[in-house]
Amino acid sequence: MNVVRNAVHNALRPALRSRPYATYVPPASLKEVGPGQRPWLSSRQPPESPNFYTGRAEYYDSLNDLETSIQHTRAALTSLQLLPLPAFARAAIPPAQHVWQTKQDIIQRMRMTLSTTRYRRLIKLLNQLDQYRRIADVAGVDVLTERIEGVLSVFEKPNKEAILAHGKKKPVAFDDYGRTYTIGRRKTSTARVWTIAVQRPPEEPVEEQNADGQTADEEVLPQMESTVVSAIEYIPPKPVKVTSTNIVINNRPLVEYFPQLADRERVILPFKIAGLVGAYNVFSIVRGGGSTGQSGAISLGIAKALAAHVPDVEPLLQKAKLLRRDPRMVERKKTNRRKARAAVRRPCFHRLRRY
Amino acid sequence: MSLPAAHARLAARARLAAHARSSRATAAVPTAAQLSLRRGMSAPASDHPPLETQEDWTQFQLQNAEYESLISFYSDFGSTQKRENSFQPHHPLHRPTPGQSLTVSHLLAAGAHMGHSQSLMNPHFLPYAYGVRAGITVIDLDHTVPLLRRAAQVVRAVTSRGGSVIFVGTRPDLRAVVRKAAERVGERAFHLGEKWFAGTLSNRLEMFNLVRTEVKEQLIPDLVIFLNPIPNLYAIKDCSAHHVPTIALVDSNVDPRVVTYPIPANDESTRTAELVAGILSIAGREGVALRREDLERQAARAKKLQRVREAALSRGQPE
């Protein structure tokens, strides 16, 4: 028994150095205490947080900070005539879209236990502050919005943007060089398509025109003999310089990779519909399937890229069904059939009946 | 913040002042259009244009600012009692009365004289009871005032010697009171608006995760103030077991001897708690200021002593 008690005492000895009682000197004994000795003056520092005696200092400090933020924000919004809001103005505020950290996240971060009641109390304050942030945001008070966002970001999930964008169409991202990366699929083919706008060389300065309507240095292009017979004077249109574009597929030019005209047309069709022939260069890596599948996949990738580069063109491509991933896949073969649908050869009964 | 709102307010004020100056003879009555600008008025939503763009919101803010400046301009011609010079419910918390100006009227206005039912009166409370009215014990405020000032003296004395104080108020309405009081005192002041866990003092090593570690902080406070002692009697016992002096607002159903410095007053009134916490926290703030002065004086004296010693040493060496 003594061994146990000694062991416990030894274990607690460093802790027992803390004074087990408050040092109080009654006034009658004060004369025995010299001016230099003040036993009531603790040599130790007091705890840092004013919430120390709650036992959950970090949590209550966060709560107090949020309450202070709410008070200051409320005062600021009141001075800006944004609070109290009447009903018609409250209806104009966008709905709440918050992604707060879960109870487990906060437990891990603060390294202490947290009950559901305390977690809900924290979330209630966060929701209130978020409402003020939305009011400030919609009224255009950027300074206040940024400050509140700084306070709230501590309690938001780090992947908040991704969670809110879940299920929505991801916008096509442009990189530093202005390229888009899109993916198209058709049958079992997958095409990875990089599209970049053609860099036009700087325009030469327009020179003075002669009486004929042609510039001095310009070559006289061959004009066809006009077959139009009409009383109205016919002025043939000026020939337009067409810039060439590069469409490279699996490191080969389009003409070489797709010898079939139908495949090449399928690849070019999005440009034709959008009226952007010659405006973009395309680099593609395509795998899987045959020529039809691969050309269809590249076509979809190009259509998506054009919709990203020139959003006005999107309705045209939608109408032409070029932005639709063709869901048709090769149907499986079934038993008792030659192919997916083709039946096995049946005997010809009317020939048999003759006999 | 938004400058347009402030500018609009000033412009509106200037316009109104000019208008009033020009038509002093005719009583300028606010028009129906101006009255309809009132925020929060129960007009149907169809009357208000929907707020869609930022310009709409700016217009809304300017309208509100105009209405406010209208009201504030005409308030100069109205009653002399205004918001600035009349009592507001947030004043006891944010503008506390100092102990030196405490009177019975302050306590009466805060409702500190109302005790509990006559049948629930603790016999040891009798010295502080004034009488009975409408079935409740009326607390004698002539005893409350000196006892409150004594408690304030204790707080000032403790804080002036670098002691730590805890303000305890475990009701929801007392949370803000104790927090404000602790912030007002400043250094070495703590607040507890939640439950006082049993074992905070008697089992403090486990409670604060300090078992088998060297304790660097002073864990036992030098003074604890309870604004609602009845649900915290076990905490008062804990404090007395560790020789910690306690101050508490004792109501008529409590034995005043449980605490070191009882203050007989109504413990159910938030305004009374705000008043008492305000007085004690102001005294605590004064004590902290005294301590700071004391330390500065000590430091100056030590510096002077050091200089004298150095001078003596430098003189002693060549000799």
Side-chain angles (χ1 to χ4, degrees):
Chain A
M1 282 302 150
N2 269 343
V3 172
V4 171
R5 201 194 294 169
N6 284 343
V8 166
H9 193 261
N10 287 337
L12 291 174
R13 186 164 296 172
L16 280 175
R17 272 191 231 128
S18 79
R19 179 168 59 83
Y21 49 82
T23 314
Y24 168 66
V25 179
S29 314
L30 269 176
K31 50 182 179 288
E32 294 163 24
V33 176
Q37 306 156 29
R38 291 191 189 185
W40 54 77
L41 278 182
S42 177
S43 55
R44 283 183 231 258
Q45 278 302 305
E48 262 188 48
S49 164
N51 280 304
F52 179 77
Y53 291 96
T54 59
R56 287 158 174 72
E58 213 179 321
Y59 167 76
Y60 284 106
D61 283 344
S62 308
L63 225 56
N64 286 348
D65 290 339
L66 282 174
E67 281 165 3
T68 315
S69 308
I70 288 172
Q71 276 170 21
H72 290 333
T73 312
R74 196 180 293 136
L77 288 176
T78 310
S79 72
L80 289 167
Q81 311 297 332
L82 289 169
L83 276 182
L85 272 186
F88 75 92
R90 249 179 286 129
I93 301 165
Q97 275 191 314
H98 37 69
V99 186
W100 305 126
Q101 289 172 0
T102 59
K103 195 173 80 161
Q104 286 305 317
D105 294 337
I106 297 177
I107 285 169
Q108 274 179 357
R109 188 159 60 86
M110 288 194 183
R111 279 184 291 273
M112 64 175 195
T113 55
L114 184 70
S115 69
T116 309
T117 315
R118 289 198 183 92
Y119 173 71
R120 286 207 188 117
R121 208 166 129 193
L122 183 71
I123 296 301
K124 194 172 165 187
L125 292 177
L126 290 170
N127 286 341
Q128 175 70 283
L129 199 57
D130 188 54
Q131 195 198 23
Y132 290 159
R133 184 199 60 82
R134 278 180 284 129
I135 295 171
D137 190 34
V138 80
V141 191
D142 297 323
V143 178
L144 194 58
T145 315
E146 272 168 43
R147 285 221 188 112
I148 301 170
E149 270 166 13
V151 172
L152 291 176
S153 61
V154 179
F155 296 98
E156 278 173 350
K157 280 205 171 136
N159 56 342
K160 180 194 173 187
E161 299 297 316
I163 291 170
L164 286 175
H166 185 70
K168 292 184 198 148
K169 230 195 227 181
K170 263 194 338 195
V172 178
F174 285 76
D175 70 358
D176 299 331
Y177 298 98
R179 299 177 296 206
T180 52
Y181 168 62
T182 49
I183 292 180
R185 292 193 180 93
R186 174 87 213 274
K187 290 193 191 174
T188 50
S189 312
T190 307
R192 303 162 66 195
V193 177
W194 287 265
T195 320
I196 189 167
V198 168
Q199 308 283 320
R200 293 193 190 283
E203 295 254 334
E204 281 151 23
V206 176
E207 293 161 23
E208 272 193 13
Q209 291 189 348
N210 296 344
D212 314 323
Q214 283 177 349
T215 55
D217 295 347
E218 201 185 77
E219 271 182 34
V220 177
L221 293 162
Q223 301 286 342
M224 276 169 58
E225 284 288 315
S226 170
T227 53
V228 172
V229 176
S230 149
I232 304 161
E233 240 181 42
Y234 176 65
I235 302 161
K238 264 204 163 116
V240 177
K241 276 190 186 172
V242 179
T243 48
S244 62
T245 85
N246 294 321
I247 297 180
V248 177
I249 301 161
N250 287 356
N251 268 340
R252 293 189 206 117
L254 171 71
V255 167
E256 190 190 320
Y257 195 78
F258 288 122
Q260 302 260 6
L261 177 70
D263 300 330
R264 288 200 297 275
E265 282 298 308
R266 212 174 284 122
V267 169
I268 300 294
L269 191 61
F271 288 118
K272 283 187 176 173
I273 299 282
L276 293 168
V277 178
Y280 292 91
N281 287 332
V282 171
F283 177 84
S284 175
I285 300 172
V286 62
R287 298 271 182 270
S291 60
T292 309
Q294 288 192 343
S295 56
I298 295 167
S299 165
L300 178 58
I302 290 171
K304 283 184 184 175
L306 289 179
H309 278 271
V310 186
D312 289 340
V313 137
E314 196 177 329
L316 298 169
L317 294 170
Q318 289 271 16
K319 202 99 173 128
K321 296 179 201 160
L322 288 168
L323 284 173
R324 179 177 171 262
R325 194 271 191 231
D326 199 334
R328 296 178 292 175
M329 302 289 275
V330 171
E331 201 174 313
R332 64 155 282 193
K333 184 208 177 294
K334 286 117 194 167
T335 53
N336 292 330
R337 287 192 178 267
R338 201 160 34 82
K339 292 176 12 163
R341 303 276 177 101
V344 166
R345 194 167 67 86
R346 290 173 297 170
C348 222
F349 287 109
H350 73 268
R351 237 192 258 161
L352 288 170
R353 220 184 288 129
R354 256 192 237 163
Y355 298 102
Chain B
M1 300 302 154
S2 169
L3 289 173
H7 281 215
R9 222 178 297 151
L10 290 167
R13 264 186 172 273
R15 263 185 271 133
L16 287 164
H19 174 78
R21 255 181 270 122
S22 63
S23 59
R24 237 341 148 194
T26 57
V29 176
T31 61
Q34 283 171 327
L35 279 173
S36 71
L37 293 173
R38 185 185 298 182
R39 294 171 284 156
M41 198 168 172
S42 53
S46 56
D47 283 7
H48 302 278
L51 300 170
E52 279 154 6
T53 61
Q54 214 163 296
E55 282 73 35
D56 292 340
W57 277 93
T58 314
Q59 206 55 45
F60 169 75
Q61 284 176 278
L62 291 173
Q63 276 181 354
N64 291 340
E66 258 194 61
Y67 179 77
E68 220 180 81
S69 57
L70 187 80
I71 294 289
S72 67
F73 177 77
Y74 283 110
S75 68
D76 292 339
F77 306 102
S79 163
T80 49
Q81 184 182 17
K82 290 175 210 171
R83 194 187 162 87
E84 294 88 53
N85 57 17
S86 42
F87 173 81
Q88 300 295 327
H90 65 270
H91 283 178
L93 185 59
H94 294 108
R95 301 184 198 181
T97 330
Q100 291 84 15
S101 48
L102 175 71
T103 61
V104 168
S105 309
H106 284 103
L107 289 164
L108 213 59
H113 59 290
M114 290 188 274
H116 282 274
S117 159
Q118 177 193 359
S119 55
L120 295 172
M121 196 186 83
N122 194 304
H124 300 286
F125 190 81
L126 199 59
Y128 304 126
Y130 186 73
V132 173
R133 178 66 169 258
I136 63 159
T137 311
V138 175
I139 298 171
D140 192 354
L141 296 177
D142 290 329
H143 281 109
T144 308
V145 170
L147 289 174
L148 182 48
R149 293 175 88 168
R150 179 178 74 157
Q153 280 279 55
V154 169
V155 176
R156 193 180 299 115
V158 166
T159 48
S160 68
R161 285 159 178 77
S164 59
V165 180
I166 311 181
F167 288 86
V168 179
T170 59
R171 274 202 322 259
D173 54 326
L174 296 177
R175 275 191 216 138
V177 178
V178 294
R179 185 186 163 191
K180 195 83 188 177
E183 280 172 7
R184 199 172 287 125
V185 174
E187 293 172 22
R188 297 168 200 259
F190 305 89
H191 60 275
L192 183 61
E194 316 296 326
K195 192 166 156 248
W196 173 292
F197 286 116
T200 300
L201 296 181
S202 50
N203 198 19
R204 59 192 177 280
L205 296 174
E206 277 230 25
M207 167 114 172
F208 301 118
N209 290 320
L210 295 167
V211 182
R212 288 194 187 83
T213 55
E214 198 193 328
V215 179
K216 295 194 194 99
E217 295 163 332
Q218 181 204 334
L219 299 175
I220 297 181
D222 296 303
L223 181 65
V224 183
I225 301 165
F226 291 93
L227 296 179
N228 60 336
I230 297 166
N232 298 313
L233 286 172
Y234 64 96
I236 294 171
K237 193 175 171 193
D238 211 5
C239 290
S240 62
H242 290 83
H243 305 271
V244 178
T246 45
I247 297 171
L249 274 184
V250 294
D251 210 335
S252 62
N253 56 350
V254 181
D255 183 354
R257 302 173 302 170
V258 298
V259 290
T260 326
Y261 301 100
I263 303 168
N266 182 7
D267 62 2
E268 287 186 339
S269 161
T270 315
R271 199 167 147 186
T272 312
E274 286 170 354
L275 178 69
V276 169
I279 290 168
L280 298 179
S281 59
I282 288 175
R285 186 171 60 185
E286 288 168 8
V288 166
L290 287 169
R291 167 119 176 102
R292 210 173 290 135
E293 276 176 24
D294 206 20
L295 285 172
E296 280 168 13
R297 230 179 290 128
Q298 275 183 10
R301 214 181 299 137
K303 220 188 209 176
K304 195 172 165 189
L305 206 65
Q306 181 68 17
R307 263 188 269 125
V308 164
R309 276 206 202 105
E310 280 170 5
L313 274 168
S314 61
R315 261 187 282 117
Q317 273 177 351
E319 279 174 21

